[in-house]
Amino acid sequence: MDAQILESNQIKHFKEFLGTYSKFIETCFLDCTTCSEHCLQKYLKMIQQISMRFQEYHIQQNEALGAKTGLLGQP
Amino acid sequence: MTSACHRKCVPPHYKEAELSKGESVCLDRCVSKYLDIHERMGKKLTELSMQDEELMKRVQQSAGPV
């Protein structure tokens, strides 16, 4: 059962990745004639940065939540 | 979020393969604002749906047993 859940999560992630990927290919195709390599690299760096900030945010949220429940858990 | 911040922060020039400092700062701010709004809207929606639920309960109670 766990394996199935893992697999469906992986499939979801992959679908999301494909979606993002094809969107940016389309953007670079529409915006660019000779600059497509720059476009690609820029996009990849952008996605990397956004993912980092997103993860940082969630780590912060989890820590805050943990601190709150920790306080509540104490008698 | 990715496509929204891309549209707002990265002009389609692509002269360089690197993100400029300005673009980088813009992306950080964009992500932060997006997540903030996401959270606030989520809370507001929860609040509104709870209010709705309360209202429904009251209506059902005042209607009395059928």
Side-chain angles (χ1 to χ4, degrees):
Chain A
M1 242 275 279
D2 280 339
Q4 280 179 346
I5 296 175
L6 264 174
E7 197 181 322
S8 77
N9 268 342
Q10 279 179 344
I11 292 177
K12 250 191 261 177
H13 279 273
F14 189 59
K15 272 191 188 166
E16 205 182 301
F17 165 71
L18 280 181
T20 316
Y21 173 75
S22 51
K23 260 192 228 158
F24 97 72
I25 296 272
E26 190 180 335
T27 309
C28 288
F29 172 72
L30 291 171
D31 289 339
C32 273
T33 43
T34 49
C35 59
S36 47
E37 206 176 299
H38 287 183
C39 182
L40 167 71
Q41 285 176 8
K42 206 166 213 176
Y43 220 107
L44 288 174
K45 292 191 178 124
M46 182 194 80
I47 287 180
Q48 224 176 27
Q49 186 167 338
I50 290 180
S51 307
M52 268 199 316
R53 299 288 170 256
F54 187 71
Q55 277 175 8
E56 282 170 14
Y57 170 81
H58 274 115
I59 289 173
Q60 245 180 18
Q61 292 291 91
N62 285 338
E63 278 175 9
L65 203 63
K68 236 194 268 184
T69 43
L71 285 171
L72 287 172
Q74 286 171 8
Chain B
M1 175 172 71
T2 309
S3 57
C5 288
H6 176 74
R7 206 162 46 218
K8 282 191 174 257
C9 285
V10 179
H13 296 319
Y14 307 114
K15 285 204 186 122
E16 287 179 0
E18 298 287 331
L19 288 167
S20 75
K21 188 76 184 173
E23 288 167 354
S24 183
V25 167
C26 176
L27 283 173
D28 289 343
R29 286 191 193 144
C30 179
V31 171
S32 162
K33 284 182 192 174
Y34 188 96
L35 292 168
D36 182 42
I37 289 181
H38 188 263
E39 190 183 330
R40 274 197 260 166
M41 286 200 182
K43 282 189 191 156
K44 194 70 190 179
L45 281 170
T46 316
E47 198 183 302
L48 288 172
S49 80
M50 281 195 325
Q51 280 176 2
D52 256 357
E53 212 177 301
E54 278 292 305
L55 192 61
M56 288 299 287
K57 262 191 224 166
R58 276 192 233 152
V59 167
Q60 281 173 355
Q61 279 171 357
S62 67
V66 177

